[in-house]
Amino acid sequence: MDCLFCKIIAGEIPSAKVYEDEYVYAFRDIHPQAPVHVLVIPKTHIDSADCLTEETAHLAAEVFAALPKVARACGLVNGYRVITNVGEDGCQSVRHMHFHLLGGKKLPEQMS
Ligand code: AMP
């Protein structure tokens, strides 16, 4: 499958890894929008959160189970924001479900 994030998981494209377990991979966003900007992704490919079903919801659960560990690995002790963009209107540019973990400063209240 020609998926950028699958290639990153496979090590075919370099990334700045901050956390990895059996199900999840987390790495620094190449264009950070906050002092800490990490992408947390399931190792199993799924296009977006809009594709989740009862059978695949565990992929999102595994990401969320890893989030506190990723946040601690990044030194985030005072909160952070988690965002997933979905589809065209959500401005999703990479079609492998991913969660932006943003922090390291007081983030703006406005989200859109
Ligand atoms: P989205 O726009 O929600 O699909 O987010 C995709 C994110 O992937 C963007 O924030 C990009 O900066 C980031 N990105 C694209 N290519 C890479 C890469 N090779 N390494 C790290 N982050 C990347």
Side-chain angles (χ1 to χ4, degrees):
M1 189 186 294
D2 192 27
C3 168
L4 173 65
F5 287 176
C6 285
K7 287 179 180 165
I8 284 178
I9 292 164
E12 293 165 17
I13 292 175
S15 66
K17 179 173 90 172
V18 297
Y19 174 86
E20 181 175 16
D21 64 29
E22 192 178 348
Y23 307 108
V24 171
Y25 190 81
F27 57 105
R28 296 198 186 274
D29 195 293
I30 206 164
H31 297 303
Q33 295 186 34
V36 173
H37 186 174
V38 169
L39 300 172
V40 191
I41 64 178
K43 287 186 172 176
T44 299
H45 182 93
I46 185 165
D47 278 12
S48 79
D50 194 53
C51 301
L52 291 169
T53 64
E54 284 76 4
E55 284 71 40
T56 56
H58 65 94
L59 299 175
E62 285 151 8
V63 167
F64 275 83
L67 277 175
K69 298 174 216 174
V70 179
R72 297 306 166 263
C74 295
L76 297 175
V77 292
N78 205 34
Y80 48 89
R81 181 168 291 159
V82 180
I83 295 172
T84 189
N85 293 328
V86 177
E88 190 67 25
D89 282 1
C91 287
Q92 183 184 5
S93 61
V94 179
R95 298 297 167 119
H96 180 129
M97 182 175 75
H98 53 280
F99 294 84
H100 297 258
L101 175 64
L102 299 152
K105 69 169 186 181
K106 179 86 175 175
L107 298 166
E109 251 180 68
Q110 183 97 11
M111 283 195 288
S112 64

